[in-house]
Amino acid sequence: MSSETDTNPSGASDAGDAPGTWGVSLPGAAPVRFDTKITVVLRDDLELWQRLNVTAFLVSGLGTTVPEVIGEPYEDADGVAYLPMFRQPVLVLEASKETLTAAHGRALSRALPRAVFTSDLFGTGNDRDNRAAVRAVPTGALDLVGLAVYGPRNAVDKVVKGARMHP
């Protein structure tokens, strides 16, 4: 699988073209450099199981609303088919509650495709109740624990400024 070349995998700057941790490619092929970025920012006080759950929920919305992020289906050497996945890496960052709230505001101001996960969603058990829990809270009062953002690299870098690579 080819991957993105990025000098700063944290997405926290407008990095140039030097190879970084995303500079992996097939033998004999140049690395693929995407002009877009998928980034998830998680609040730094979440339990491990919460981080995994929030990440899965946040990225699930991208493929349905931004179909160009989905690649082709996979197939192994025996012809067994597998579902398509994102065509590019997903960066997972962490941040304080304040930094996450600021990133949300910047994503809104840039009108980037985004998904949110609030602390209230840990107490619900289905999509209907999840949507009702988010709808019940004004934008500025959302208790965010996660945010997924997709868009042009530079715009996403500016949105997630202050977040750091997830350990």
Side-chain angles (χ1 to χ4, degrees), residues 68-90:
E68 64 268 19
V69 301
I70 303 298
E72 296 296 320
Y74 286 73
E75 184 176 297
D76 66 25
D78 294 324
V80 176
Y82 301 95
L83 295 171
M85 296 185 282
F86 291 130
R87 66 181 180 94
Q88 65 190 90
V90 177

Side-chain angles (χ1 to χ4, degrees), residues 14-95:
D14 298 325
D17 293 326
T21 60
W22 293 114
V24 178
S25 66
L26 296 174
V32 174
R33 181 170 170 81
F34 296 98
D35 58 355
T36 58
K37 192 175 270 190
I38 300 170
T39 303
V40 173
V41 183
L42 302 171
R43 205 164 74 192
D44 59 8
D45 62 350
L46 297 179
E47 298 288 332
L48 180 58
W49 73 266
Q50 291 173 317
R51 292 171 187 248
L52 295 170
N53 184 267
V54 170
T55 301
F57 269 92
L58 287 171
V59 298
S60 70
L62 282 176
T64 60
T65 58
V66 189
E68 64 268 19
V69 301
I70 303 298
E72 296 296 320
Y74 286 73
E75 184 176 297
D76 66 25
D78 294 324
V80 176
Y82 301 95
L83 295 171
M85 296 185 282
F86 291 130
R87 66 181 180 94
Q88 65 190 90
V90 177
L91 297 172
V92 181
L93 310 177
E94 71 173 6

Side-chain angles (χ1 to χ4, degrees), residues 110-131:
R110 288 175 171 76
L112 293 176
R114 65 212 164 266
V116 296
F117 197 104
T118 67
S119 63
D120 295 333
L121 302 187
F122 290 125
T124 60
N126 60 74
D127 185 54
R128 182 194 67 229
D129 292 342
N130 286 350
R131 285 182 283 109

